[in-house]
C-alpha cells in the first residue's frame, strides 16, 4: 500500500512540478538601469577591470523575449584573495518591497558565453542573494542584510551557445561558496539571523570573481544573460486550478437572493497557454451593483466535511498567478478582486478577507500576486480592507476568537465585489480574468519549545586563555550557543559579560582570551552557556560548576594623559615619551597576520602604536617600520600603506555589536591614509587632512610615522556630512572598557596589498563590518568605569546631557545629596549666562531637566550646577 501511495503522490505532484515564473527577462536591464555596476573595479590601475553592459538583440539572438543583457567583463587579481566585479540589483529603498522566491525549488538562468575567459579555470561565476529577513525594518537600516553565495568554478570557460544554469534555492548555512546551494560566507553583508529568508530578498547580483591570477593579472570575456526563472513548487499548492470549472470543486454565489439584481459568473477550464499544468481557470463575471452597498459574485472551495484544508501556519504568503484578459467595464476602480478564507477553530466559521493587488481595469499578462498570510488587527469595512493581510470584514456576523488560525481553515473563495459608492445603483461591470496556481510561500516558525540547557560543561586554564567545552544539546539541529562569564556563580545573564554569541553546533569549544589593564593579573571566572534552537527559542543556562582561576595578560591601555598640552602633529614622536606604546610585531605574538596574507618579518612591517584621550580629543600615533613605503593617490586607500584603528567610544559590556553602531554606543573605523584620515572605510569623507592636527610622513631609513589629534566632537558629528543624527559625545572615564582593534595595510608594490597585520587574532580583515572581531582595552589602568548616571542620590553628581550633540532638545540629569538651594545654568563659550534651568530649594534625590535650545545658534555651550559646596561643569554641543 505504501508503494502505491508514493507512486500516486509522484503522479499528482508531477502535474504541477513545471511551474515557472520569469523573474527577469533581461529585455531592458540597461535601458532601465536595473543593474548597478562600477565603470571600473575600485582600486584597479592601468588595464583595470570593468563591466560594460548593453541590451543585446542580435549576435546572438535572445533566448527569450526581445533582448538579452550582454556583459563585456574584465577582472583584475588585485588582492591576495584575487578580485571581482559584479552587477547588482537592489529594490528601491523608498518602499518596503521584497522578492519572494520561497515557493520555488530552484532558479534557472540562461547564458551564452560569447567569448570564453582568457584565463581558463580561474574565473568563477557567483550568484549572490541579498536578503534582510533578520532585520525588523531593513528599509530604515539598509546596511543590515545578509549576502548568500552560489558559485560555479570556471563557469566562464564554456564554449559559445545557449545553455541553462540551475541554481538550487537551498540554505547550506555558513561556509564557502559552492554549486549545490547558497552559503553565508561571513565576509559580505551583516549576519543577522543566519537563515536564508527567501521571502525577504532585497536584491541579487551576478559576479565575476577570480581566486588569483599570477602576477596580478587580468582576465576578460563576453557573456550574455537571459531569462531568469523560478522553477518548481517547494510546497504543496493550495490549488493548481486544473479541471476545476466543472463538478463540485467550486460553489458559486451570484447573489441569487437578489433576484433580477443578481450577478453572473461562468467558469471555464482554459487550456490555452496555462501558467502550469493542464489548464487554468477562466472566470467570466458580471457584477450587478443592485444594492445600496454594491454587489458581488464569488466562487468558494470547501474542504471535505469534517476536515480542514492544508495547514498554512508555517507559511508567510500565498502566491497567485492572475491574468486580466478583458478589463472590467463601467465606472473605474469600482470593482475589486478579493480572497476570503474561513477559519473554524471555535465550531463556527470566522470569515477573513484580503484585497488582492490586482487592477481589474487594465489588461495584463500573467502577474504574480503576493497574498500575505497576516492577521490585521480589528475588523474592516469596504474602505479598510487591505492588500497587506487579512482581517474580519465589518459585514461579518461572527468574529469568533479574532485569531487567524491557519491550521483550522475549512475553505476559501475568490470574490469580485463592487461598491455602492462612486457609481449609480444598478450599474453592472463585466470582465474576464484567468487564475492559476495558488501556492504557499515563505517560512514561519511554529516551534515554540525551548531546548534543554547545555550540559557537560568543562573548563581548562590555558596560557592567558580559558578553554570552555560543552556537549551539544540532543535532538536539535542548526542550534547556536552563547557563552557568558562572571565573577559570581549562577549569575544573571542579563548583567553578565559575553565571551561569544552564535557559536555553531558541533564546535563545542570556545577560547576566552584573558586580558587585563596594565599588568598581568589573576582572574577567577564562572561560565554559563545557553542554547538557541533554529526556531529562535533559547534554553535556560547551563553552568560550569567550578570557576577557572587563571592569569590575564596585561595589555597597554588608552592613556588619559594627552601627549602634550600644546600638541602639534609634526611627526616628532618625542612628545609621546611618557605614553606606553602598543606593540605590533609578528615576532613576539603581539600582532597577527590575516590568513593568506604575506609579511616576512618585523623589518617588512611592524609598529608601535600610541593612543590617548582627554575630554576634548582622541590622540593617535603610529611609528611604522616598513621596508617599502607605497602610496598612489589614484588607488583606494587600502591598496596603500595605511594603518587602521577600530575603536568604540563607550563603556562596553555584554555582547559585542554585530555591526558598527551609531548613537549612544558609537563604533568607529578610522584609516590613516597619507592624504587624509578616513572614517568608516575607504570611501567615506575625510575627517582630517594634513596640517597642525594630522601628519603622515616617511622616516629614515625606512617606514613612516603618523600623528593625529581628532576632536571628539568631530567623531560624533562628521561621520555622515549633512545628517543630523549624531553620535553621543564621548566622555572618557578611568576604567571604561573600550572595544578596540588595529590593523596595518602593507602595500609593497603599487596596486597590491601584500599583507594585513592585526591587533586582534580574530580580525581576518573583517573588523570593518563587525565589532565581534575586535578585542577590548581600557581607559587607563583600571578595571571598572563608573558612569555618572549610576551615582546614587547619596552623593552629588552632574551627568553628561543626552543626546549630545543635540537638536534642539536635550536632557540633563543630576543628583543632590542634601536638601538645599540648587542652581543649574547654561552659559555660552564666552561665559555669559544663556538661561537658568533651576534655581530653587530641592530635596535629596535624582532630577531630570530638559533644555530646549530651539532659539539658539549651533555651537558649544556649558552648563554648571551649584548645590551647597558642590559645583560641576560640563559641555554640550548644539547642532542644527
Amino acid at each position: 500500500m505504501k508503494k502505491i501511495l508514493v507512486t500516486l503522490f509522484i503522479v499528482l505532484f508531477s502535474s504541477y512540478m513545471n511551474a515557472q515564473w520569469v523573474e527577469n527577462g533581461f529585455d531592458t536591464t540597461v535601458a532601465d538601469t536595473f543593474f548597478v555596476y562600477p565603470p571600473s573595479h575600485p582600486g584597479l590601475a592601468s588595464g583595470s577591470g570593468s563591466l560594460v553592459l548593453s541590451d543585446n538583440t542580435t549576435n546572438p539572438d535572445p533566448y527569450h523575449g526581445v533582448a538579452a543583457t550582454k556583459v563585456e567583463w574584465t577582472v583584475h587579481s588585485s588582492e591576495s584573495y584575487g578580485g571581482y566585479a559584479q552587477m547588482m540589483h537592489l529594490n528601491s529603498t523608498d518602499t518596503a518591497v521584497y522578492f519572494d522566491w520561497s515557493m520555488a525549488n530552484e532558479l534557472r538562468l540562461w547564458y551564452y558565453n560569447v567569448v570564453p575567459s582568457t584565463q581558463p579555470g580561474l574565473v568563477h561565476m557567483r550568484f549572490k542573494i541579498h536578503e534582510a529577513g533578520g532585520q525588523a525594518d531593513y528599509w530604515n537600516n539598509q546596511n543590515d542584510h545578509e549576502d548568500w553565495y552560489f558559485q560555479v568554478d570556471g563557469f566562464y570557460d564554456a564554449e559559445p551557445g545557449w545553455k541553462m544554469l540551475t541554481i538550487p534555492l537551498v540554505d547550506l548555512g555558513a561556509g564557502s561558496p559552492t554549486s549545490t546551494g547558497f552559503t553565508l560566507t561571513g565576509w559580505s553583508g551583516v549576519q543577522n539571523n543566519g537563515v536564508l529568508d527567501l521571502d525577504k530578498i532585497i536584491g541579487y547580483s551576478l559576479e565575476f570573481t577570480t581566486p588569483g591570477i599570477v602576477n596580478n593579472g587580468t582576465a576578460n570575456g563576453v557573456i550574455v544573460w537571459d531569462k531568469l526563472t523560478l522553477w518548481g513548487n517547494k510546497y504543496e499548492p493550495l490549488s493548481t486550478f486544473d479541471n476545476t470549472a466543472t463538478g463540485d470543486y467550486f460553489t458559486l454565489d451570484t447573489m441569487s437572493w437578489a433576484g433580477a439584481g443578481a450577478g453572473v459568473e461562468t467558469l471555464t477550464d482554459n487550456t490555452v497557454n496555462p501558467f502550469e499544468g493542464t489548464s487554468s481557470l477562466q472566470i467570466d463575471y458580471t457584477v450587478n451593483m443592485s444594492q445600496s452597498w454594491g454587489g458581488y459574485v464569488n466562487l468558494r472551495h470547501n474542504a471535505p466535511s469534517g476536515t480542514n484544508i492544508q495547514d498554512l501556519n508555517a507559511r508567510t504568503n500565498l502566491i497567485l498567478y492572475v491574468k486580466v484578459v478583458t478589463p472590467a467595464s463601467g465606472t473605474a476602480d469600482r470593482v475589486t478582486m478579493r480572497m476570503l478564507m474561513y477559519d473554524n477553530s471555535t465550531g463556527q466559521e470566522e470569515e477573513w478577507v484580503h484585497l488582492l493587488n490586482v487592477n481589474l481595469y487594465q489588461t495584463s499578462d500573467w502577474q504574480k500576486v503576493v497574498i500575505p498570510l497576516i492577521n490585521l488587527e480589528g475588523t474592516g469595512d469596504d474602505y479598510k480592507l487591505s492588500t497587506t493581510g487579512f482581517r474580519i470584514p465589518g459585514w461579518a456576523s461572527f468574529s469568533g476568537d479574532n485569531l487567524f488560525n491557519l491550521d483550522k481553515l475549512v475553505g476559501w473563495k475568490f470574490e469580485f465585489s463592487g461598491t455602492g459608492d462612486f457609481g449609480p445603483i444598478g450599474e453592472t461591470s463585466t470582465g474576464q480574468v484567468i487564475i492559476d496556481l495558488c501556492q504557499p510561500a515563505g517560512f514561519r516558525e511554529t516551534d515554540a519549545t525551548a531546548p534543554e540547557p547545555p550540559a557537560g560543561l568543562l573548563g581548562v586554564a590555558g596560557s592567558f586563555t580559558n578553554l570552555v567545552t560543552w556537549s551539544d544539546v540532543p535532538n536539535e539541529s542548526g542550534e547556536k550557543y552563547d557563552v557568558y562569564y562572571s565573577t559570581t556563580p549562577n549569575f544573571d545573564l542579563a548583567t553578565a559579560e559575553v565571551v561569544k554569541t552564535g557559536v555553531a553546533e558541533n564546535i563545542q569549544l570556545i577560547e576566552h582570551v584573558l586580558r587585563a589593564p596594565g599588568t598581568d593579573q589573576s582572574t577567577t571566572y564562572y561560565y554559563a552557556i545557553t542554547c538557541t534552537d533554529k526556531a529562535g527559542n533559547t534554553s535556560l543556562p547551563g553552568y560550569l560548576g567550578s570557576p577557572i582561576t587563571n592569569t590575564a595578560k596585561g595589555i597597554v591601555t588608552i592613556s588619559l594623559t594627552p601627549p602634550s598640552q600644546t600638541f602639534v602633529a609634526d611627526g616628532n614622536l618625542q612628545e609621546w615619551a611618557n605614553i606606553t606604546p602598543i606593540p605590533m610585531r609578528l615576532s613576539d605574538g603581539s600582532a597577527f597576520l590575516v590568513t593568506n596574507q604575506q609579511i616576512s618579518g618585523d623589518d617588512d612591517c611592524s609598529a608601535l602604536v600610541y593612543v590617548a584621550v582627554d575630554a576634548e580629543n582622541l590622540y593617535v600615533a603610529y611609528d611604522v617600520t616598513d621596508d617599502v613605503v607605497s602610496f598612489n593617490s589614484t588607488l583606494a586607500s587600502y591598496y596603500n600603506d595605511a594603518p587602521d584603528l577600530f575603536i568604540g567610544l563607550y563603556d562596553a559590556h555584554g555582547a559585542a555589536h554585530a555591526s558598527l553602531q551609531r548613537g549612544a554606543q558609537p563604533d568607529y573605523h578610522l584609516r590613516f591614509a597619507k592624504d587624509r584620515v578616513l572614517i568608516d572605510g575607504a570611501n567615506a569623507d575625510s575627517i582630517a587632512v594634513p596640517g597642525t592636527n594630522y601628519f603622515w610622513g616617511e622616516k629614515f631609513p625606512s617606514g613612516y610615522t603618523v600623528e593625529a589629534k581628532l576632536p571628539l566632537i568631530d567623531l560624533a558629528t562628521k561621520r555622515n556630512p549633512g545628517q543630523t543624527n549624531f553620535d553621543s559625545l564621548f566622555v572618557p572615564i578611568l576604567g571604561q572598557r573600550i572595544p578596540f582593534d588595529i590593523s596595518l595595510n602593507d602595500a609593497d608594490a603599487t596596486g597590491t596589498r601584500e599583507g594585513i597585520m592585526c591587533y586582534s587574532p580574530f580580525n581576518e580583515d573583517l573588523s570593518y563590518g563587525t565589532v565581534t572581531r575586535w578585542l577590548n582595552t581600557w581607559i587607563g589602568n583600571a578595571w571598572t568605569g563608573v558612569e555618572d548616571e549610576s551615582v546614587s542620590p547619596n552623593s552629588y553628581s552632574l551627568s553628561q546631557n543626552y543626546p549630545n550633540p543635540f537638536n534642539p532638545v536635550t536632557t540633563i540629569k543630576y543628583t543632590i545629596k542634601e536638601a538645599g538651594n540648587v542652581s543649574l545654568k547654561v552659559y555660552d563659550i564666552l561665559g555669559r549666562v544663556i538661561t537658568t534651568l533651576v534655581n530653587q530649594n530641592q530635596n535629596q534625590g535624582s532630577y531630570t531637566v530638559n533644555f530646549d535650545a530651539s532659539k539658539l545658534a549651533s555651537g558649544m555651550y556649558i552648563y554648571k550646577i551649584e548645590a551647597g559646596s558642590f559645583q560641576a561643569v560640563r559641555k554640550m554641543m548644539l547642532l542644527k
Side-chain angles (χ1 to χ4, degrees), residues 34 44 119 171 196 245 250 326 369 388 446 567 657 685 794:
F34 184 85
L44 302 187
Q119 296 282 354
D171 180 348
L196 179 56
F250 285 114
T326 303
V369 180
T388 62
T446 58
F567 176 86
H657 295 164
D685 286 346
N794 293 322

Side-chain angles (χ1 to χ4, degrees), residues 27-35 37 53-55 69:
D27 289 335
T28 57
T29 59
V30 178
D32 297 338
T33 61
F34 184 85
F35 288 107
Y37 55 98
L53 275 62
S54 59
D55 291 326
T69 300

